[in-house]
């Protein structure tokens, strides 16, 4: 049985993330979306909000589960017995940032292989931070996030407040 963890902040999950999950579902028996709980960061959405938003949009895939983790990804991946860590790549600069992390994670846990999944071209410009900026100024989010995530973003920025 192959188990991949797909870690991230997911603040919020985007169509780019879902595109990576759809690809990972084809490669692995189980995919665990692992939401980072980082108490030193102030996300827009709480950990519980992010997890329930993700659960709603991944419910179409029976082999996808949603969990949270704190601390080192390599330790979490070891503890759950993951064969792979999935990371999406939108650009060469993503790769430059991701490769040192993959090497360091491999040093700490060589049983989980980092698998880079190239984003589909139509999602290469989408990031959670850009989505939040657009939402803050009531801009269009068509094709960037699922409808339920757009509603959650609009509710956060109601009245034009950050
Ligand atoms: O969605 P993001 O913010 O790009 O995800 C980054 C994430 C969560 C994968 C990365 O920050 C991470 O693995 N954090 C856990 C702490 C850790 O293991 N750091 C060492 C990496 S070599």
């Amino acid at each position: 049985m192959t188990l991949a963890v797909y870690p991230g902040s997911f603040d919020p999950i985007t169509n780019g993330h879902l595109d990576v999950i759809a690809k990972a579902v084809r490669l692995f028996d189980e995919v665990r979306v692992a939401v980072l709980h980082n108490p030193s960061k102030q996300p827009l959405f709480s950990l519980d909000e992010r997890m329930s938003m993700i659960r709603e949009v991944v419910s179409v895939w029976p082999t996808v589960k949603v969990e949270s983790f704190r601390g080192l990804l390599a330790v979490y991946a070891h503890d759950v017995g993951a064969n792979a860590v999935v990371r999406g790549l939108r650009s060469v600069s993503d790769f430059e940032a991701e490769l040192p992390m993959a090497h360091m994670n491999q040093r700490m846990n060589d049983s989980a292989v980092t698998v880079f999944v190239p984003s589909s071209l139509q999602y290469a410009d989408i990031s959670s931070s850009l989505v939040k900026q657009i939402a803050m100024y009531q801009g269009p989010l068509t094709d960037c996030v699922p409808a339920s995530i757009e509603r959650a973003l609009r509710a956060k920025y109601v009245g034009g407040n950050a």
Side-chain angles (χ1 to χ4, degrees), residues 49-133:
E49 285 174 326
R50 283 178 281 156
M51 289 181 69
S52 72
M53 288 155 72
I54 297 168
R55 282 206 176 96
E56 186 179 339
V57 293
V58 302
S59 62
V60 287
W61 293 296
T63 57
V64 177
K65 295 192 171 58
V66 183
E67 284 184 344
S68 65
F69 77 104
R70 58 174 74 211
L72 287 173
L73 171 61
V75 173
Y76 165 75
H78 177 268
D79 289 350
V80 299
N83 313 99
V85 171
V86 168
R87 292 289 288 168
L89 291 182
R90 294 162 299 187
S91 61
V92 172
S93 61
D94 274 355
F95 180 69
E96 284 176 347
E98 292 291 334
L99 190 59
M101 283 202 283
H103 282 150
M104 192 54 81
N105 283 332
Q106 181 173 257
R107 182 187 292 278
M108 293 185 278
N109 171 13
D110 69 0
S111 55
V113 177
T114 298
V115 174
F116 293 124
V117 173
S119 73
S120 298
L121 282 176
Q122 71 263 38
Y123 302 121
D125 57 339
I126 298 176
S127 67
S128 297
S129 48
L130 288 180
V131 157
K132 282 182 282 193
Q133 275 184 41

Side-chain angles (χ1 to χ4, degrees), residues 9-54:
S9 307
F10 303 107
D11 187 35
I13 193 163
T14 68
N15 284 344
H17 294 126
L18 290 169
D19 171 55
V20 172
I21 294 169
K23 289 170 172 149
V25 162
R26 288 155 50 189
L27 296 173
F28 300 100
D29 296 321
E30 184 182 324
V31 177
R32 272 188 218 184
V33 180
V35 186
L36 177 66
H37 176 54
N38 183 353
S40 63
K41 264 195 176 176
Q42 194 60 56
L44 178 63
F45 293 99
S46 71
L47 180 67
D48 285 347
E49 285 174 326
R50 283 178 281 156
M51 289 181 69
S52 72
M53 288 155 72
I54 297 168

